C-alpha cells in the first residue's frame, strides 16, 4: 500500500512539475502583457517535435538543449508578428488569436509529423529503475524533476537578480512608468514572451520522453495550468509554482483513494480556494 | 538655447479636449515652473511631453528632435527624465531594485552615488517600495529618474502630501540638479516654494497658458500668488 501511495505521490509530483512549468510561462505572459495564451500547449508540442526532428543529428542531449531555444525563438517571432498587435485591446481578441494558433500548431504538427504517436527515445541508462523496491523511480523521472527544479531556479534567478527580470516584475505592476524610465517595453514584452515559451518548449521535450509524442500532447496540460495559476494566486509566480505542484500531487493521491475523481480534484481545489481565499494561496491583496 | 520646446499642444483623453494650445520652453540650465490649480492640465502637459498621452495637434522638440509622436522610452532615451505624479514606486521591488529598472545612460548617477546622496534610501535599500513613507517614496522616485542620468528633469508635484521639512529637502535636490547642468520643468501647486527656486513661471488654467514671466516677478505680484496659492497653501512659506 505504501508503495502504491509513494508511486502515485511521485507521479503527482512529476505531473505537478509539468503543470508548474507550463503555468509559470503562462503567468509571465499574462502578468506583463495581459494575454491568456491558449497556444501555450501548442508551443509545448512544437518544442517536442523540434527536439524529435533534431535528435537524429544532435542526439537526445543536443536536442534537449537546442529545442527550447528554437521554440522560444518561434514564440518571439509570433509575438512580434501577431500577438503584439492586440495588446491593450479587449482580452477577447488575444484569446481568440491564441486559441486559433493552438489549432493551427496542432494541425501543422499533424501534417508534418503525422497524427500517430512517434517514438521519442531517451538514453537507455535513464530508463532503468534506480532500485528494485522503488521500481517507479526510473532515472528519467528523477532526471526530469531535477531539470524542472533547475529551470525554475534559473527563472527565479533571472527575475530577481537581473535587470531584465526586475523590469519584467516592475512592468507587471506599472508598465507605463517602466517605459518613461527609458526601457523599451515592446522589446521587454517580446523577450518575456520568449521566456515563457522557452519553459513550454522545455516542458514539451521532457513530456515527450515520458509520454511519447503526438500532436495533442499539450492539450491535456493547458487547463490544469490555468487552474494552477488561480489556486496559487494571480500575479504571484511563487504561487503559480506552488499551485502547479499542489494540484499535481493532489491528483496523484486521489488516484490511490478515489480514482474516478483524479481529473476533478483540481477543480474542486480551485473552487475551494475561490470560496475561501479568492486571491489564491500566495496572491497579493487586491489582485484577484 | 532651449532644451525643450512645446508649441500649440492640443491633447485629448478620448473625446474630452484637455489642452488648448499649450506652448512653453525650458531654456538650458534653468528651472521652469508650471503652476496652476487642480485640474488645470499640468499633468496632462507633462504626459504629452514624455509621450504617454501624445497631443493630437502641436509640436514638441527635445534637444531639437521632433519627438511629438515618439514612444516614452525613446524620449527618455534622449535624456528627459520624468518623475510622475504620485511617485509610482514599484511596490513589489526593493529600493535597490527600483533603482535598477531605468535604462543605464552614461553619467554621474550610479546606485552608489544615490545611496551616498540619499542616506535614508541606503538604510532602506532592501525594503520593498510599498514599505516606504511618502517622503521616502518621493526621494526614491526622484533618485530612480536620476539613474537615467537625465539632462532635463520634469517633475509632477513632487511636494504633494509631504511635510514642510521634506518639501525643502526635495526642492534642494532640484536646485542641486540644476547646479550640475540639468534643466528642470517643475509642476507644482506649492506656489510660494516653487517661485522661490524657479527662474521662469508659467500658469496654466483650463488647459491654456494664462501667465508667462520671470519667477521673481511673479513672486512679487502678491495678488496673483495668493489667488493661485489659495488659503490652504499659506503654510508653505519658506525661509530665506
Ligand atoms: N485619464 C483621464 N481621462 C479623462 N480625463 C482626465 C484624465 N486625466 C485627467 N483628466 C482630466 O483632465 C483635466 C486635467 O487634468 P490634469 O492634467 O491631471 O490636471 P492637473 O495635473 O493640473 O491637476 C482634468 O479635468 C481631469 O479631470
Ligand atoms: Mg496633476
Amino acid at each position: 500500500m505504501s508503495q502504491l501511495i509513494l508511486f502515485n505521490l511521485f507521479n503527482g509530483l512529476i505531473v505537478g512539475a509539468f503543470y508548474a512549468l507550463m503555468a509559470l510561462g503562462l503567468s509571465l505572459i499574462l502578468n506583463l502583457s495581459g494575454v491568456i495564451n491558449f497556444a501555450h500547449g501548442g508551443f509545448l508540442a512544437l518544442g517536442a517535435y523540434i527536439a524529435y526532428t533534431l535528435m537524429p543529428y544532435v542526439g537526445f542531449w543536443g536536442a534537449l538543449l537546442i529545442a527550447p531555444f528554437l521554440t522560444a525563438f518561434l514564440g518571439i517571432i509570433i509575438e512580434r508578428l501577431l500577438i503584439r498587435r492586440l495588446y491593450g485591446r479587449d482580452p477577447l481578441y488575444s484569446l481568440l488569436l491564441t486559441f486559433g494558433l493552438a489549432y493551427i500548431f496542432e494541425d501543422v504538427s499533424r501534417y508534418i509529423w503525422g497524427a500517430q504517436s512517434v517514438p521519442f527515445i531517451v538514453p537507455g541508462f535513464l530508463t532503468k529503475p534506480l532500485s528494485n523496491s522503488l521500481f517507479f523511480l526510473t532515472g528519467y523521472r528523477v532526471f526530469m524533476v531535477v531539470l524542472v527544479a533547475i529551470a525554475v531556479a534559473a527563472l527565479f534567478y533571472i527575475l530577481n537578480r537581473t535587470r531584465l527580470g526586475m523590469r519584467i516584475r516592475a512592468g507587471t505592476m506599472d508598465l507605463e512608468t517602466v517605459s518613461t524610465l527609458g526601457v523599451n517595453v515592446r522589446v521587454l514584452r517580446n523577450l518575456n514572451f520568449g521566456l515563457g515559451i522557452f519553459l513550454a518548449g522545455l516542458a514539451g521535450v521532457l513530456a515527450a520522453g515520458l509520454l511519447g509524442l503526438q500532436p495533442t500532447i499539450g492539450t491535456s496540460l493547458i487547463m490544469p495550468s490555468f487552474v494552477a495559476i488561480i489556486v496559487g494566486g494571480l500575479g504571484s509566480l511563487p504561487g503559480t509554482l506552488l499551485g502547479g505542484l499542489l494540484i499535481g500531487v493532489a491528483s496523484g493521491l486521489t488516484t490511490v483513494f478515489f480514482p474516478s475523481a483524479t481529473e476533478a480534484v483540481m477543480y474542486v481545489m480551485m473552487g475551494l480556494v475561490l470560496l475561501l481565499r479568492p486571491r489564491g494561496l500566495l496572491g497579493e491583496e487586491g489582485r484577484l | 538655447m532651449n532644451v525643450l520646446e512645446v508649441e500649440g499642444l492640443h491633447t485629448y483623453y478620448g473625446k474630452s479636449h484637455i489642452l488648448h494650445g499649450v506652448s512653453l520652453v525650458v531654456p538650458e540650465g534653468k528651472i521652469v515652473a508650471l503652476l496652476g490649480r487642480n485640474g488645470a492640465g499640468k499633468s496632462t502637459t507633462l504626459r504629452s511631453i514624455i509621450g504617454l498621452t501624445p497631443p493630437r495637434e502641436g509640436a514638441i522638440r527635445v534637444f531639437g528632435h521632433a519627438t511629438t509622436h515618439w514612444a516614452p522610452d525613446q524620449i527618455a532615451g534622449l535624456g528627459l527624465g520624468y518623475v510622475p505624479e504620485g511617485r509610482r514606486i514599484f511596490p513589489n521591488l526593493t529600493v535597490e531594485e527600483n533603482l535598477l529598472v531605468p535604462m543605464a545612460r552614461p553619467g554621474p548617477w550610479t546606485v552608489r552615488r544615490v545611496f551616498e546622496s540619499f542616506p535614508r534610501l541606503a538604510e532602506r535599500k532592501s525594503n520593498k517600495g510599498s514599505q516606504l513613507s511618502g517622503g521616502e517614496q518621493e526621494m526614491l522616485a526622484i533618485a530612480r529618474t536620476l539613474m537615467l542620468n537625465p539632462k532635463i528633469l520634469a517633475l509632477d508635484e513632487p511636494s504633494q502630501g509631504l511635510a514642510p521639512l521634506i518639501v525643502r529637502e526635495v526642492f534642494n535636490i532640484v536646485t542641486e540638479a540644476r547646479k550640475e547642468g540639468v534643466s528642470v520643468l517643475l509642476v507644482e501647486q506649492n506656489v510660494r516654494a516653487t517661485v522661490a527656486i524657479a527662474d521662469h513661471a508659467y500658469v496654466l488654467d483650463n488647459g491654456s497658458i494664462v501667465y508667462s514671466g520671470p519667477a521673481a516677478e511673479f513672486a512679487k505680484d502678491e495678488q496673483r500668488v495668493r489667488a493661485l496659492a489659495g488659503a490652504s497653501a499659506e503654510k508653505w512659506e519658506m525661509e530665506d
Side-chain angles (χ1 to χ4, degrees), chain A residues 44-68:
Chain A
L44 179 143
L46 285 178
Y49 276 112
I50 290 171
Y52 169 75
T53 308
L54 288 175
M55 238 189 297
Y57 310 100
V58 296
F60 173 80
W61 300 104
L64 177 66
L65 198 70
I66 300 169

Side-chain angles (χ1 to χ4, degrees), chain A residues 28-234:
Chain A
L28 279 174
I29 295 165
L30 178 63
N31 293 347
L32 189 65
S33 299
V35 169
I36 298 175
N37 181 26
F38 261 103
H40 217 67
F43 279 111
L44 179 143
L46 285 178
Y49 276 112
I50 290 171
Y52 169 75
T53 308
L54 288 175
M55 238 189 297
Y57 310 100
V58 296
F60 173 80
W61 300 104
L64 177 66
L65 198 70
I66 300 169
F69 281 101
L70 287 182
T71 317
F73 185 62
L74 193 70
I76 280 174
I77 292 173
I78 286 174
E79 191 273 351
R80 181 71 228 266
L81 293 179
L82 298 171
I83 295 172
R84 166 178 303 190
R85 292 162 200 273
L86 303 178
Y87 291 154
R89 303 241 195 132
D90 192 309
L92 197 60
Y93 287 101
S94 55
L95 202 74
L96 284 171
L97 171 65
T98 57
F99 212 80
L101 283 174
Y103 280 112
I104 292 172
F105 288 172
E106 199 179 309
D107 277 351
V108 165
S109 308
R110 198 171 285 130
Y111 180 77
I112 300 179
W113 292 284
Q116 307 303 316
S117 184
V118 298
F120 196 92
I121 314 292
V122 302
F125 75 92
L126 278 180
T127 56
K128 293 194 183 68
L130 291 185
S131 80
N132 285 334
S133 54
L134 299 173
F135 63 94
F136 52 88
L137 267 186
T138 63
Y140 187 70
R141 285 163 172 250
V142 174
F143 165 74
M144 223 162 55
V145 170
V146 170
L147 213 64
V148 170
I150 291 173
V152 169
L155 174 68
F156 281 97
Y157 179 85
I158 290 174
L159 289 173
N160 291 310
R161 293 277 178 269
T162 69
R163 277 188 192 245
L164 172 69
M166 291 171 201
R167 287 169 179 164
I168 288 173
R169 282 160 55 223
T172 59
M173 293 306 290
D174 188 350
L175 198 61
E176 196 174 74
T177 297
V178 171
S179 76
T180 64
L181 293 168
V183 176
N184 186 331
V185 297
R186 298 167 299 288
V187 171
L188 189 69
R189 281 172 154 178
N190 187 242
L191 292 178
N192 179 67
F193 195 86
L195 192 59
I197 299 305
F198 180 94
L199 298 178
L202 179 65
V205 185
L206 293 177
L210 189 70
L211 313 165
L213 179 53
Q214 73 280 341
T216 54
I217 183 169
T219 319
S220 60
L221 288 171
I222 189 100
M223 282 318 286
S225 302
F226 286 125
V227 173
I229 292 174
I230 293 170
V231 167
L234 219 54

Side-chain angles (χ1 to χ4, degrees), chain B residues 13 16 18 37-45 85 156-157 189:
Chain B
Y13 287 114
S16 34
I18 306 295
R37 300 176 179 286
N38 218 349
K42 305 181 297 297
S43 297
T44 307
T45 304
E85 185 170 28
D156 196 345
E157 295 203 38
Q189 291 210 51

Side-chain angles (χ1 to χ4, degrees), chain B residues 28-107:
Chain B
E28 183 164 22
K30 302 291 184 200
I31 298 182
V32 173
L34 181 59
L35 307 166
R37 300 176 179 286
N38 218 349
K42 305 181 297 297
S43 297
T44 307
T45 304
L46 285 196
R47 289 177 59 88
S48 295
I49 292 170
I50 190 66
L52 289 174
T53 314
R56 212 172 279 179
E57 269 178 63
I60 299 164
R61 277 182 299 277
V62 179
F63 300 117
H65 300 269
T67 60
T68 317
H69 298 290
W70 288 21
D73 58 274
Q74 296 171 311
I75 298 171
L78 289 177
L80 174 56
Y82 165 70
V83 183
E85 185 170 28
R87 291 114 199 185
R88 313 250 313 233
I89 293 305
F90 305 117
N92 53 335
L93 268 58
T94 65
V95 166
E96 191 168 15
E97 288 171 339
N98 264 277
L99 294 172
L100 291 171
V101 169
M103 167 198 199
R105 277 167 43 87

Side-chain angles (χ1 to χ4, degrees), chain B residues 6 46 86-87 118 132 180 205 217:
Chain B
V6 171
L46 285 196
R87 291 114 199 185
F118 303 83
L132 303 184
E180 294 194 10
D205 198 30
E217 215 163 88

